[in-house]
């Protein structure tokens, strides 16, 4: 299967580990010129090295915090320069803190707004001039299964990611005249370091064994297991490639059947 990614220029944010890292690695393995961005320089350099070792492709690693508008402008310019243009933008960021409505202060709401909604607005605004010049402009926003079925105790994720889904749908219409396809992919339970840490924290808090915590999660997933970051990346890379020519404004869940919404 040829995804048409050879020499395409791709920017993946929040890619030093987890879902972003898996997407960046898959793009590189399919021949793309990949820029990865994240906050920690050391983690970023290690991630770039790991991808280079595995794929033989040179990776452009740029330090950035998605909460900082200047960083966003800088990283998009760096991706454009490295890739001699920009064809594909994958918007990812760390998740917002958990918590229920009555627990959260305005400051936490604003932080989540900046990190999980405004980062997508700003990245898209900075990238769109370059994507317009591409013959295959694609944007994929990484959200959550919460856009289809809100998750208890995660009011910030439920709210901000629904905003990203609304933005995705709107952009799919507004950017269609430029041939730019815009979609979102929602992870259910994909086994990244973050998910492992969350399960460990739940076990510590409740006194349950880690295996019990995980078993409780697995009972909600028809396929009976967590997904792998690679399984998630397959969906992102498909939607965010020239191989996808007619799917835009869609939310694709990678969740082993967990979401019950139609
Ligand atoms: P992760 O914590 O393993 O990785 C997050 C990455 O984001 C890291 O590289 C980190 O350095 C980077 N990052 C965090 N804050 C940043 C910032 N301000 N600026 C730049 N980079 C930043 O998380 P993950 O499991 O890979 O999840 C990725 C996203 O998907 C998160 O928003 C998460 O909430 C969401 N999500 C994941 C799952 C899942 O099953 N893994 C489920 C639902 C939603």
């Amino acid at each position: 299967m040829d995804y048409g990614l050879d020499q395409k220029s791709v920017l993946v944010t929040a890619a030093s580990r987890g879902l972003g890292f898996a997407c960046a690695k898959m793009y590189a393995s399919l021949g793309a010129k990949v820029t990865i961005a994240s906050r920690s320089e050391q983690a970023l350099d290690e991630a770039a090295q790991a991808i280079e070792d595995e794929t033989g492709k040179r990776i452009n690693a740029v330090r950035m915090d998605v909460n900082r508008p200047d960083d966003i402008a800088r990283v998009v310019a760096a991706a454009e320069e490295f890739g001699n243009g920009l064809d594909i933008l994958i918007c990812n960021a760390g998740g917002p803190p958990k918590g229920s409505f009555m627990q959260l202060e305005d400051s936490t709401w604003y932080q989540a707004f900046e990190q999980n909604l405004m980062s997508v607005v700003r990245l898209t605004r900075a990238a769109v001039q370059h994507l317009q010049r591409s013959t295959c402009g694609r944007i994929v926003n990484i959200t959550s299964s919460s856009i289809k079925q809100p998750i208890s105790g995660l009011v910030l994720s439920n709210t901000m990611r629904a905003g990203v889904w609304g933005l995705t749908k709107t952009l799919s219409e507004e950017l269609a005249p430029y041939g730019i396809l815009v979609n979102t992919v929602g992870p259910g339970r994909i086994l990244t370091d973050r998910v492992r840490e969350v399960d460990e924290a739940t076990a510590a808090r409740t006194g349950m064994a880690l295996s019990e915590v995980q078993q409780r999660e697995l009972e909600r997933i028809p396929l009976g297991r967590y997904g792998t970051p690679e399984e998630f990346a397959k969906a992102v890379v498909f939607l965010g490639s020239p191989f996808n020519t007619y799917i835009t404004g869609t939310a694709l869940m990678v969740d082993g059947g967990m979401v019950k919404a139609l």
Side-chain angles (χ1 to χ4, degrees), residues 13-20 37-40 43 64-67 92-96 115-116 142-145 151 157 161 186-195 197:
T13 61
S16 67
R17 67 178 205 174
L19 303 181
S38 208
R39 283 172 310 181
S40 150
M64 67 112 58
D65 183 336
V66 295
N67 295 308
N92 185 36
Q115 179 155 309
N116 296 106
I142 295 179
T143 52
S144 167
S145 61
I151 301 168
S157 174
R161 298 192 197 284
R189 297 285 287 174
I190 308 295
L191 194 53
T192 60
D193 291 338
R194 174 73 190 140
V195 164
E197 289 158 9

Side-chain angles (χ1 to χ4, degrees), residues 178-206:
Y178 308 105
I180 301 172
L181 276 50
V182 192
N183 293 286
T184 180
V185 180
R189 297 285 287 174
I190 308 295
L191 194 53
T192 60
D193 291 338
R194 174 73 190 140
V195 164
R196 213 171 279 118
E197 289 158 9
V198 168
D199 284 351
E200 283 166 3
T202 306
R205 200 182 59 250
T206 59

